[in-house]
Amino acid sequence: MNAVITSTIINCNSLSPSSWISGENWPSKVLLGEISAAFSRRRTKVSCGKSSPDDYHSTLKSLNSRGRFPRKSLGQHYMLNSDINDQLASAADVKEGDFVLEIGPGTGSLTNVLINLGATVLAIEKDPHMVDLVSERFAGSDKFKVLQEDFVKCHIRSHMLSILESRRLSHPDSSLAKVVSNLPFNISTDVVKLLLPMGDIFSKVVLLLQDEAALRLVEPALRTSEYRPINILINFYSEPEYNFRVPRENFFPQPKVDAAVVTFKLKHPSDYPDVSSTKNFFSLVNSAFNGKRKMLRKSLQHISSSPEIEKALGVAGLPVTSRPEELTLDDFVKLHNVIASE
C-alpha cells in the first residue's frame, strides 16, 4: 500500500457535553439565536487559536437568519472552527487560479476560505435552503457557482468536463481541478467511489470524513475484516494520506464520533496499474470478497474452474490457498492478468 499517515492532531478545548450541544437529543423548538449567544459566552473555550470572522458565531448566525436547524437526514454537521477550514485548503494546496469542487458548502465558511485564496468554486448542495443562503452570500463574486443537486446522483463528470473545457479556452495553462469538502458522513464512501476514478479531471481530493472510516480507507491491515474492495479501488486510483484528526467538539451539532482530514492524490489514467480491463478487474475483486472467508479457488469458480484458479494463483506467485483479504493490489493485478490471458 502507498498510504501515508501523518500524526498531527488539532486540539480544541471541549464544548459543553450537554445534549443540546451534542445534538443527541436535539430539541426542535430551541432557538438558534439562543445557542449562538451561549457559544459567544463560551468563546474562550471554543476557539483553537486566533479568532476569525467566519467561525462558530457566524455559522450559527447564518443558520439563525434562515430559521434553519441541522437536518440529520442530510448528515448536516457545521464546522465551528475556521482554523480547520484553513487547514483543509492547505492540505489541497489551494492557490490563485485553482478550480475547486466543494460538496455540501453549508453556510459557506469553507467556500469563503477557498475564494479568498483566489480559487473559483463550484459547489454542489442538496438542501435548497443552503443553496439560497450561499447564493446570497457570494452573489457579488464571479468566482462562485452553486448547483442544487444530490451529488451522488448528479452527472459530475459531465459538469466538470464542460467547465474545464471552457476554462482551457481562456486559460490554456490551467491545471486539473481539486476537491475540498467537509462531507456529510453518510455519503463519504459513495463520494470516494465516484471521485477517485476521475484522475483526468482532479489532481487532489481532500475530504473531511469520520475518523474511523478515514483510517479504514487509508491504511487497512491485510488479513482483517477492515480490508475490503474499496481499499483496492482507493490504491488503484490514488495515493491516500491521513492528514489530521478533528475532534467532534468542532462541529454543530456535535456528532458522536471524531472526524479526520484525508488527502487522495489522484493518479493520472496513464499511471493506473496495467490491467487488460478495469471493469473486469474490479468485477474479479468484488467477486473475490463476496466470499471473504472462502479461498479464491472457491469464490472465483464462476470465472474459471477451481483447478484453473489454482493454476493462475501459482503463475501469479500466490499460494493456492489464498483468500481475498491476504492479497495486495499488486497481487490482484497479477492474478487478474494471468486469468485474462488464459
Side-chain angles (χ1 to χ4, degrees), residues 3-72:
V4 177
I5 297 184
T6 53
S7 59
T8 304
I9 296 178
I10 294 181
N11 294 313
C12 182
N13 292 321
S14 176
L15 300 177
S16 168
S18 61
S19 61
W20 66 266
I21 291 179
S22 68
E24 294 174 5
N25 299 298
W26 182 250
S28 59
K29 294 183 180 181
V30 70
L31 295 177
L32 285 173
E34 296 173 3
I35 298 172
S36 179
F39 270 93
S40 294
R41 290 192 296 270
R42 297 177 57 84
R43 187 179 186 100
T44 57
K45 292 190 177 184
V46 177
S47 181
C48 306
K50 64 180 182 180
S51 62
S52 167
D54 209 334
D55 54 12
Y56 67 89
H57 187 76
S58 59
T59 296
L60 295 173
K61 184 177 180 181
S62 294
L63 291 171
N64 189 46
S65 70
R66 296 269 169 178
R68 301 303 302 162
F69 299 94
R71 296 173 60 184
K72 288 186 178 180

Side-chain angles (χ1 to χ4, degrees), residues 37-158:
F39 270 93
S40 294
R41 290 192 296 270
R42 297 177 57 84
R43 187 179 186 100
T44 57
K45 292 190 177 184
V46 177
S47 181
C48 306
K50 64 180 182 180
S51 62
S52 167
D54 209 334
D55 54 12
Y56 67 89
H57 187 76
S58 59
T59 296
L60 295 173
K61 184 177 180 181
S62 294
L63 291 171
N64 189 46
S65 70
R66 296 269 169 178
R68 301 303 302 162
F69 299 94
R71 296 173 60 184
K72 288 186 178 180
S73 63
L74 296 180
Q76 291 175 335
H77 295 279
Y78 297 101
M79 176 56 64
L80 301 175
N81 187 340
S82 59
D83 289 340
I84 295 172
N85 287 330
D86 291 336
Q87 294 197 43
L88 268 167
S90 178
D93 190 27
V94 175
K95 56 186 180 298
E96 183 78 30
D98 279 351
F99 190 92
V100 177
L101 172 68
E102 183 184 4
I103 304 161
T107 61
S109 60
L110 174 58
T111 315
N112 192 49
V113 170
L114 299 172
I115 292 175
N116 285 340
L117 287 170
T120 298
V121 178
L122 171 65
I124 309 292
E125 175 60 64
K126 184 176 180 179
D127 187 339
H129 300 284
M130 294 297 101
V131 170
D132 290 342
L133 192 154
V134 292
S135 294
E136 287 185 14
R137 176 171 183 178
F138 301 107
S141 173
D142 61 356
K143 291 182 174 291
F144 178 75
K145 180 178 181 180
V146 59
L147 299 178
Q148 184 188 330
E149 294 193 46
D150 181 344
F151 181 80
V152 298
K153 296 178 181 179
C154 78
H155 302 289
I156 190 59
R157 174 174 282 277
S158 298

Side-chain angles (χ1 to χ4, degrees), residues 183-295:
L183 283 182
F185 294 160
N186 57 356
I187 65 168
S188 57
T189 299
D190 290 334
V191 170
V192 167
K193 289 180 179 179
L194 284 169
L195 290 176
L196 265 54
M198 298 188 191
D200 57 330
I201 295 175
F202 302 108
S203 60
K204 280 187 178 182
V205 174
V206 178
L207 304 176
L208 196 153
L209 310 171
Q210 182 179 337
D211 186 45
E212 290 183 3
L215 289 169
R216 287 197 301 267
L217 294 178
V218 172
E219 190 58 51
L222 288 172
R223 300 180 177 84
T224 69
S225 61
E226 304 301 334
Y227 191 60
R228 302 171 183 175
I230 192 170
N231 301 116
I232 303 298
L233 180 145
I234 287 171
N235 285 279
F236 188 98
Y237 289 117
S238 74
E239 297 175 4
E241 177 182 358
Y242 181 106
N243 297 114
F244 55 87
R245 182 173 64 86
V246 180
R248 67 196 74 181
E249 291 85 7
N250 290 286
F251 297 90
F252 172 77
Q254 181 180 312
K256 296 180 180 180
V257 294
D258 292 335
V261 172
V262 174
T263 296
F264 302 94
K265 183 180 178 182
L266 301 199
K267 299 175 184 176
H268 188 271
S270 61
D271 297 323
Y272 294 162
D274 186 13
V275 295
S276 57
S277 166
T278 302
K279 181 179 179 181
N280 291 341
F281 171 75
F282 283 109
S283 176
L284 179 146
V285 171
N286 289 327
S287 295
F289 278 90
N290 281 340
K292 190 163 186 180
R293 292 304 304 162
K294 291 182 180 179
M295 294 182 190

